[in-house]
Structures are given as structure tokens and as C-alpha cells.
């Protein structure tokens, strides 16, 4: 078994599945895994202090003020968070 070091710096990471991986850095910026190890993290609008991903694809987060959010950016006709 081995590990592959990826570029980037995250304070926390959450994994719902192999393709549902998210992270938050120390500046509360949100990133989503691209499945491309050479450029693994795509920024996502918004700021969160913590984030959690589920196997069904749902992603939840709490902003630095303690307000909870659910990611809806993958749903047709919606914004990033609600």
C-alpha cells in the first residue's frame, strides 16, 4: 500500500465516496476534488469552517459564524448553497 502526495494545503477533508471528496483550508475556502491528481482541487464559491460529504453526494457545511448550509450546486437551476 502506498500514498500519493497531492498539491495543495487543506485544514480538513471529507470523503463521501471515491469521487465525492471535499476540503476546506485554514482560510475557510472550499475545494472539491477533480479526480485529476496533477490539479486535484477546484475552488468552490463560499466559505466554510467545516464540511461533511455523504455517499449519496450530499455535502453539508457550517460557515465561520455557525450557520449550516447544504451544497446545491450540482442541482439544476440552483445556486451553490442553500
Amino acid at each position: 500500500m502506498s500514498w500519493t502526495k497531492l498539491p495543495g494545503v487543506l485544514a480538513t477533508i471529507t470523503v463521501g465516496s471515491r469521487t465525492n471528496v471535499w476540503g476546506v483550508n485554514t482560510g475557510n475556502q472550499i475545494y472539491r476534488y477533480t479526480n485529476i491528481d496533477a490539479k486535484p482541487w477546484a475552488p468552490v464559491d463560499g466559505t466554510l469552517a467545516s464540511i461533511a460529504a455523504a455517499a449519496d453526494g450530499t455535502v453539508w457545511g457550517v460557515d465561520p459564524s455557525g450557520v449550516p448550509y447544504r451544497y446545491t450546486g450540482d442541482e439544476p437551476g440552483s445556486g451553490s448553497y442553500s
Side-chain angles (χ1 to χ4, degrees):
M1 186 160 103
S2 62
W3 291 83
T4 301
K5 182 179 178 181
L6 301 177
V9 177
L10 298 174
T12 186
I13 193 167
T14 182
V15 180
S17 69
R18 182 177 179 92
T19 58
N20 188 25
V21 181
W22 295 73
V24 175
N25 69 11
T26 56
N28 297 323
Q29 297 168 309
I30 308 160
Y31 293 90
R32 185 177 191 173
Y33 183 61
T34 64
N35 294 306
I36 302 167
D37 286 350
K39 188 172 174 19
W41 304 109
V44 177
D45 289 338
T47 58
L48 293 174
S50 65
I51 193 167
D56 67 357
T58 2
V59 180
W60 291 82
V62 176
D63 77 7
S65 300
V67 178
Y69 289 88
R70 179 177 60 88
Y71 182 72
T72 58
D74 291 341
E75 297 174 10
S78 66
S80 294
Y81 286 89
S82 63

